[in-house]
Structure formats: structure tokens, C-alpha cells
Amino acid sequence: MEVRTRFAPSPTGYMHIGNLRTALYAYLIAKRANGKFLLRIEDTDQEREVEGAVDIIYNTLRSAGLLWDEGPDIGGPVGPYIQSQRRDLYLKYAKELVEKGGAYYCFCNKERLDEVRKLCEVNKKAPMYDGLCRGLSEAEIKEKLEAGLPYVIRQKMPKTGETSFDDAVYGKVVTPNNILDDNVLIKTDGLPTYNFANVIDDHLMGITHVVRGNEYLSSTPKYNLLYESFGWEKPVYVHCPPVMRTATKKLSKRDGDASYQDFIDKGYIPPAILNYIALLGWSSGEEREKFTIEELTERFSPAGISKSPAIFDPEKLAWLNGEYFRDMSLEEFAELARPYIEKITTTLDYIKIAEVLKVRCERLADIPEQIDFFAKLPDYSTDLYFHKKMKTDAESSKPVLEAVYELLQKEEDYSYNLLHDKLMQLVESLGLKNGQVLYPLRVALSGKAFTPGGGIEIASILGKEETLNRLKIALEKL
């Protein structure tokens, strides 16, 4: 049997990082088994649909490398892949379910349903439909339909016993039937509810493995009862725990940490983001943490998914992102970094700056702030020359920088290797430690205590004229 999974988002806004993890897991399950990964747009709740949201879904999945085998834009044998274009299918199946005894027409209006809800509140019970229309005779139903009364179609739940299913993550899940509401399958406008359309589409599209968040655990018994009423085979369920900012706080769009695009804008790269979210609640059983998408495909199994919520750690993501930079060639990293470098300077050699950044950068968006001193030396206090560990201060730094200025004034070749050799010779001749010369040089050339790259790299990038100019400013300050 071919393994077929699907990612079925609603076009209601940005792509939440938890949604992307669901897509990734569904993709990995399919690809590991040489199966098919489908994209389906679930737009039955059209009041919540956001303009442009479908394009966000397409662009996010493409950017992350999660390419679908069947979907709205490329078609496939079980299309259409947009629920609103399948609306004529659902009523037919709902009426078939009525005939099979698994559903019924409900003609209760809003006022009566509000009364039922209030009564439940008074009795401190979960709001549930009281089943008034379950007992309507065929003649009564026919009369109401012929009169044109608005109706919904509800699922007829068993009121005794229990419904159970096996989940790949949570094991056996058992639910008493008496807490299952007769939920609506077809609304008064003729459109299906999410729950009903979901089941019909999964069956018609041959979905073998359903991957989704654990908030659907409580709904799954209802889905299984639908499968049973139709006599259809149930899929394998893989319910994933939520992704949290902390043990008690969810990821939040307001905090700028919930969407894939937020992370791209902050300077993370797609392979690192995908790698990191794969590890949010899943373990390969190995100690390593850096995986390509091909390696994840080889190793992924739902058995490695934890039942506990996954805590999102931005520092770990930043570290992993930096590891991807470290493994790149200088040319690859320089092309990624170039737009960020050129926000600060277009006159200096971006390759040289990228080389300095490559071993220290964790997020591309941090680059402008890290290198802003290349464009203009900031004003700074001579207190910056004090460094307890380097044993430097303003007084000791002045003669050191005078000697550096005298040395560098004679040089024409500002390549890193030559400057390094000359300055190391100066350190030895002065009888000082490296830091007692190189730290004051860093401060003089950058106006900062911390920079990507030290004084030698900065001098090599700035070139002779600007290096000497900044040393003059430092000596005047001192």
C-alpha cells in the first residue's frame, strides 16, 4: 500500500512554526516510504480566510524545500485540492450517512440552541446538543424539508460504551461515548464543517497517515465513528505535542517568534530552521543535532516523537544556524551576507568582511549592527581602552598605538598575513603580550570592545588611509 500523507492548512494568515513542523513530519513519513506528500487547502471557514494566505502557504513550503507531489497548483488524480471547490461532494456523503443511520437532520433554530447552551451552563455541563431532532420521524423530516425549513446535518453519536483508537505517539486513547456531542456535519449554508470535510477528503484522497497537533486527540473518536459508519478503513494517526515558548506560554505572533517568515526576516536560513523544528519534540536517538533534509528522511519515525510539549529555544536555533554558516564555503556565505553587508558599506571588500563574519555570525540580520563601524567610526570614550584581562588602559594604550601608527605608516601591503607578521614582531619588540597591542588597536579602529574579527582583520579591510586616520583620532583622544 502506498503511503500518502497530507498537509492541510487553512488560509487564515501566516504559517505558524508548529504548522510547518506538522508539514515536515508528514513530508518525512511519506518520503521515507517513497510515498506521496499532498497539499490540500481547507477553506470551508471562509469568514476567517485572509487574502494572500494561500500564497504564504505555497511560498513557505517551497522556501523550506517541502515540495508536494499533488496539490492545488499542480493537480493530481484526486483533485480538486481546495475544499471550497469540492463543496458538492460533502452533502452527498452526509445524506448517505443519514440513510446509514450515522447522522440526522436537525431543524433547531439559533434561539433554541442558545437555550440548550444556557441550560448546560446552569447545570455546569459541557455545552452539548440535547438530541431533540434525533427522534423525528421520516414523515416529520419530509414535511420540514418540503416546507423549506433551514437545517443542519448532525452526526449521531452512540450514547453508551466507549470509542478507542491507537495513536503512534500517545498509544491507546479511550473516550466515553456519553461525552461526545452530536456535532454538525453540514451547516445551514450547505458547506461542511471542518471535521466532516476533513474525513471525507482524507478518505477520497487515500490518506494513510494523518499527522496533526494533539489538540485533535479529543476529536479523533468522532472521526473514527464516521469512518466506521461509512465502512471505510481508518488512517494511522500521529498526534504531535505543541511547540511552546516556555512551559506555560505559547509561541506568539506578537512576540515575533511564531511564523516561518519571522525567522527568515531575522536572518535564519531555511535548512537550519527546518533542522531545528524537526528536533522540537522528536529525537533520532543519536547525539548529533545537525541533519540535512535527506538525513532526516532516512531517520524519521513517529516513534521518536515525545508526548511532552516542545520548548522553543531561540538560542539553540541561533547556534544551529551559525553551524550551517560555518559549514559553508566562504563564497556561499559571502553571497548570503552580501545584502546585509551592503546596508553598511558598498566600498569595502564584502568578501573580506564575510570572511571575518563567517566564524562568528549566527543570524544574518545581526550583520549590519555588528559591522556598522566600518562605515563610520563611532564616537567613544577612552574608558573603552581599559581591559582588566588584557591589562590595558588609556595611559598604557597611547605609546602602544604610537608604535603601531609608526609601523603601519611604512607599509603599503595591507594583506592580513603581512600585517599579522609585522604586528607580532612589534609585540615581541615591545616586550608585551598580544592583547596589550591588539586590543587597543581593535578599539582605535572600531570604537568598540567587541567586533567580528580583531584589529588586524579590521585594518586589512579598512586599508591604509582609513586605518591611519582612525589611529590619529585615537591618539588625539588619548
Side-chain angles (χ1 to χ4, degrees), residues 262-269 314-315 317-319 321-322 325-326 333 336-337 339-344 353 357 360-374 448 450-452:
D262 289 331
F263 292 110
I264 295 295
D265 292 343
K266 288 177 180 179
Y268 297 99
I269 59 174
E315 291 185 6
L317 172 58
W319 167 81
N321 204 54
F325 293 153
R326 251 69 87 203
F333 176 73
L336 284 177
Y340 299 87
I341 293 171
E342 291 183 346
K343 287 181 180 180
I344 298 301
I353 297 176
L357 288 165
R360 300 168 178 85
C361 181
E362 291 189 331
R363 305 190 309 177
L364 295 171
D366 294 337
I367 288 175
E369 185 178 353
Q370 290 176 320
I371 66 167
D372 55 2
F373 63 88
F374 279 118
K448 294 186 175 186
F450 303 100
T451 56

Side-chain angles (χ1 to χ4, degrees), residues 29-244:
I29 289 171
K31 294 305 171 182
R32 187 180 184 189
N34 294 315
K36 295 289 193 300
F37 173 62
L38 283 65
L39 174 62
R40 184 173 77 224
I41 303 299
E42 299 196 336
D43 61 345
T44 53
D45 190 353
Q46 296 189 331
E47 289 183 4
R48 294 180 59 225
E49 186 169 343
V50 174
E51 187 177 353
V54 173
D55 288 333
I56 290 173
I57 293 166
Y58 289 157
N59 295 338
T60 299
L61 292 178
R62 288 195 185 106
S63 171
L66 302 181
L67 303 182
W68 48 100
D69 301 295
E70 301 172 26
D73 56 333
I74 59 175
V78 292
Y81 295 85
I82 297 178
Q83 280 189 338
S84 61
Q85 295 175 11
R86 301 168 62 87
R87 63 179 294 165
D88 294 338
L89 286 169
Y90 306 115
L91 185 57
K92 166 195 158 187
Y93 280 98
K95 289 182 176 179
E96 180 183 328
L97 197 62
V98 171
E99 292 175 8
K100 290 177 178 289
Y104 60 94
Y105 292 97
C106 175
F107 300 92
C108 294
N109 57 28
K110 183 178 182 300
E111 289 73 24
R112 183 177 186 281
L113 293 175
D114 286 342
E115 289 176 9
V116 171
R117 191 176 296 107
K118 287 177 184 176
L119 190 60
C120 289
E121 290 174 1
V122 169
N123 294 323
K124 297 182 179 179
K125 293 181 179 180
M128 290 177 66
Y129 178 62
D130 61 359
L132 177 69
C133 291
R134 283 177 70 132
L136 291 176
S137 67
E138 288 188 21
E140 289 174 312
I141 294 170
K142 183 180 179 183
E143 181 184 347
K144 291 177 184 294
L145 290 175
E146 288 176 350
L149 291 181
Y151 67 86
V152 299
I153 296 179
R154 291 182 181 272
Q155 186 175 1
K156 186 181 287 186
M157 297 296 184
K159 294 305 176 185
T160 59
E162 58 189 25
T163 298
S164 65
F165 68 95
D166 290 317
D167 183 74
V169 177
Y170 290 88
K172 188 174 184 178
V173 179
V174 180
T175 303
N177 289 332
N178 62 4
I179 68 168
L180 299 177
D181 192 14
D182 286 1
N183 51 291
V184 173
L185 304 179
I186 298 292
K187 298 175 285 187
T188 53
D189 60 5
L191 280 174
T193 57
Y194 169 84
N195 289 330
F196 187 57
N198 199 271
V199 169
I200 301 301
D201 288 342
D202 281 348
H203 170 71
L204 295 179
M205 293 182 176
I207 301 303
T208 61
H209 294 66
V210 171
V211 184
R212 58 188 174 214
N214 69 354
E215 66 269 25
Y216 292 103
L217 274 170
S218 61
S219 299
T220 302
K222 302 175 185 179
Y223 301 152
N224 277 351
L225 288 167
L226 286 172
Y227 279 103
E228 289 174 8
S229 294
F230 282 114
W232 295 340
E233 186 173 349
K234 305 182 188 78
V236 175
Y237 293 109
V238 183
H239 286 91
C240 305
V243 179
M244 308 284 285

Side-chain angles (χ1 to χ4, degrees), residues 405-451:
Y405 183 89
E406 185 178 345
L407 170 70
L408 296 184
Q409 193 177 30
K410 300 172 185 176
E411 300 299 328
E412 295 301 327
D413 183 352
Y414 265 57
S415 64
Y416 174 83
N417 289 336
L418 187 138
L419 290 180
H420 178 272
D421 292 346
K422 293 289 185 180
L423 284 164
M424 289 302 99
Q425 291 169 14
L426 178 64
V427 168
E428 188 175 350
S429 68
L430 294 175
L432 299 173
K433 294 182 178 180
N434 291 356
Q436 291 175 295
V437 174
L438 299 184
Y439 178 72
L441 177 60
R442 180 206 297 263
V443 173
L445 298 185
S446 69
K448 294 186 175 186
F450 303 100
T451 56

Side-chain angles (χ1 to χ4, degrees), residues 225-295:
L225 288 167
L226 286 172
Y227 279 103
E228 289 174 8
S229 294
F230 282 114
W232 295 340
E233 186 173 349
K234 305 182 188 78
V236 175
Y237 293 109
V238 183
H239 286 91
C240 305
V243 179
M244 308 284 285
R245 165 58 76 182
T246 66
T248 58
K249 184 181 178 185
K250 293 183 178 180
L251 288 176
S252 167
K253 175 67 175 174
R254 186 180 303 166
D255 296 334
D257 60 12
S259 94
Y260 174 82
Q261 192 58 46
D262 289 331
F263 292 110
I264 295 295
D265 292 343
K266 288 177 180 179
Y268 297 99
I269 59 174
I273 298 171
L274 212 61
N275 187 161
Y276 181 67
I277 66 171
L279 302 177
L280 284 172
W282 173 79
S283 171
S284 68
E286 304 172 56
E287 290 188 8
R288 61 181 289 196
E289 295 186 286
K290 188 170 181 289
F291 297 94
T292 64
I293 188 66
E294 292 78 17
E295 290 170 331

